[in-house]
Amino acid sequence: MTASEFDLIQRYFSDLGSRRDDVLLGVGDDAALLQPMAGEALALCVDTLVGGVHFPQDAPAETVGHKALAVNLSDLAAMGARPAWATLSLTIPAADEDWIAAFARGFGNLARYHGMALVGGDITRGSLSISVQAAGFVPRGRALTRRGARPGDAICVSGTLGDAALGLQLWQHGRGDLDEETRWLAERLHRPTPRVSLGLALRGCATAAVDVSDGLAQDLGHVLRASGVGAQLDVDRLPVSTAAARYATEDERSRHSLSGGDDYELCFTVVRSCLHKLDAIASRVGVQITRVGTIQPGAGLDLVHADRSPARLEVPGYTHFGDRGDRG
Ligand code: ADP
Ligand code: MG
């Protein structure tokens, strides 16, 4: 390791996030030493963001730092896990200190907010790419998985859908900064809010959960396959923000809300007898929850309108390796 890399680590990454008693040894040695909690399952995930693929190359560095951690927190949220530790592997074209400082600020603020410690990582030179590994805890047997949905369960989503896809479209056309609403849409793209406290509140209530990173149709499809069930989704109930209602055509709205990526909301299923708890959960965690459909026997996703007539919509979600047509 060269001195300058050492300096960068010391300056920007040696004390990022929260101090935690379960970190026996953090950044600075050959490996971190961590003390997992007895009786808790360790939830572990990793996600990579590639510049130009997962975020525009000109995205503000502070938001890239935020997003690199947020997408992992969203995975922990979908498991109902409480965030604890992260490692960060950063590949950057040059040691641009202004960029690194802003990146570390975005990462560190979100880590602190969620009581998470950065415990190790790596820095290399290359085209811009960021891998974050996140670890959290969930009491054994209480994790939310993709496998528990049963016929009759209600399908719910948090927040609003399609904002990030619209935000990207506006950003790419240089229209991300027109007014308060387009700036809000750009924020939804660049600075997603992982639904960590919602995931925690859904323990013992949701039968299955997934985070919506590649579009609702595709991500719900994962739940359906893992659970061995089908679903009916009412496309007229999909929650759309006022900003999206203003800036997207009706066509774009339904396309974005079904197959737009990067929203990082949660989609989850609940038994009917638990539905009455959702209002209290929504107001406690401060996020809207909308019921959008029902799990049914069989397989696949039926899209219907409010009057139950079939909705014919092309809804491929995002895939990296071609058109898998993941329609459930
Ligand atoms: P090694 O050569 O043994 O892999 P490094 O010299 O790459 O270790 O890193 C030294 C220490 O700094 C390690 O504890 C490592 O986890 C930490 N580290 C390196 N890069 C980062 C980073 N981007 N964020 C946090 N910690 C980092
Ligand atoms: Mg070493």
Side-chain angles (χ1 to χ4, degrees):
M1 189 175 77
T2 69
S4 78
E5 277 160 4
F6 181 76
D7 289 344
L8 292 175
I9 295 166
Q10 252 326 99
R11 207 165 300 152
Y12 299 107
F13 299 110
S14 62
D15 190 23
L16 214 52
S18 296
R19 297 247 164 91
R20 295 179 57 99
D21 292 343
D22 55 10
V23 179
L24 309 179
L25 191 58
V27 167
D29 216 304
D30 292 310
L33 293 176
L34 307 167
Q35 181 65 63
M37 259 182 292
E40 302 258 326
L42 178 69
L44 191 61
C45 59
V46 62
D47 248 323
T48 298
L49 299 189
V50 178
V53 177
H54 298 96
F55 60 90
Q57 298 274 12
D58 59 345
E62 191 266 338
T63 68
V64 177
H66 173 102
K67 188 166 180 174
L69 181 58
V71 300
N72 282 280
L73 285 169
S74 180
D75 283 324
L76 292 183
M79 300 302 290
R82 186 180 294 286
W85 310 315
T87 59
L88 162 66
S89 178
L90 189 58
T91 305
I92 41 180
D96 173 349
E97 283 217 35
D98 289 341
W99 194 95
I100 294 171
F103 173 93
R105 197 165 56 243
F107 190 104
N109 285 341
L110 186 63
R112 250 190 326 280
Y113 181 81
H114 289 284
M116 203 176 202
L118 180 67
V119 299
D122 195 22
I123 301 189
T124 50
R125 189 189 295 266
S127 28
L128 185 57
S129 169
I130 303 128
S131 286
V132 174
Q133 185 177 52
F137 290 100
V138 56
R140 224 184 274 179
R142 301 200 67 205
L144 311 175
T145 70
R146 299 177 175 187
R147 299 194 299 204
R150 295 291 171 263
D153 288 358
I155 302 168
C156 301
V157 296
S158 65
T160 51
L161 298 175
D163 298 322
L166 179 59
L168 178 62
Q169 190 177 304
L170 291 169
W171 178 269
Q172 284 170 336
H173 290 89
R175 301 178 67 216
D177 195 18
L178 296 181
D179 59 22
E180 207 171 297
E181 281 174 334
T182 64
R183 281 191 287 278
W184 182 84
L185 290 164
E187 284 282 293
R188 290 278 287 156
L189 168 71
H190 292 311
R191 203 194 297 272
T193 305
R195 302 302 186 189
V196 174
S197 43
L198 176 59
L200 295 174
L202 290 174
R203 284 177 186 170
C205 178
T207 51
V210 69
D211 70 318
V212 183
S213 52
D214 297 325
L216 177 64
Q218 180 162 303
D219 290 318
L220 175 58
H222 297 317
V223 170
L224 301 184
R225 271 187 300 278
S227 298
V229 293
Q232 190 175 69
L233 202 62
D234 181 343
V235 297
D236 296 327
R237 283 195 186 212
L238 297 179
V240 171
S241 65
T242 47
R246 164 123 186 258
Y247 275 96
T249 64
E250 205 177 315
D251 243 28
E252 287 170 339
R253 267 204 304 276
S254 50
R255 194 157 32 84
H256 289 161
S257 60
L258 274 171
S259 56
D262 265 2
D263 281 325
Y264 301 102
E265 295 297 343
L266 295 186
C267 171
F268 56 94
T269 57
V270 290
V271 291
R272 290 252 174 90
S273 58
C274 258
L275 272 174
H276 69 280
K277 294 185 186 167
L278 293 182
D279 280 348
I281 289 177
S283 54
R284 180 149 50 89
V285 304
V287 61
Q288 171 187 335
I289 293 175
T290 309
R291 186 179 170 185
V292 295
T294 309
I295 296 293
Q296 57 191 16
L301 187 57
D302 292 341
L303 302 176
V304 298
H305 288 292
D307 63 4
R308 298 281 167 257
S309 64
R312 292 260 146 265
L313 294 167
E314 272 314 301
V315 289
Y318 186 81
T319 62
H320 281 274
F321 299 104
D323 182 16
R324 280 193 290 128
D326 248 351
R327 291 282 307 272

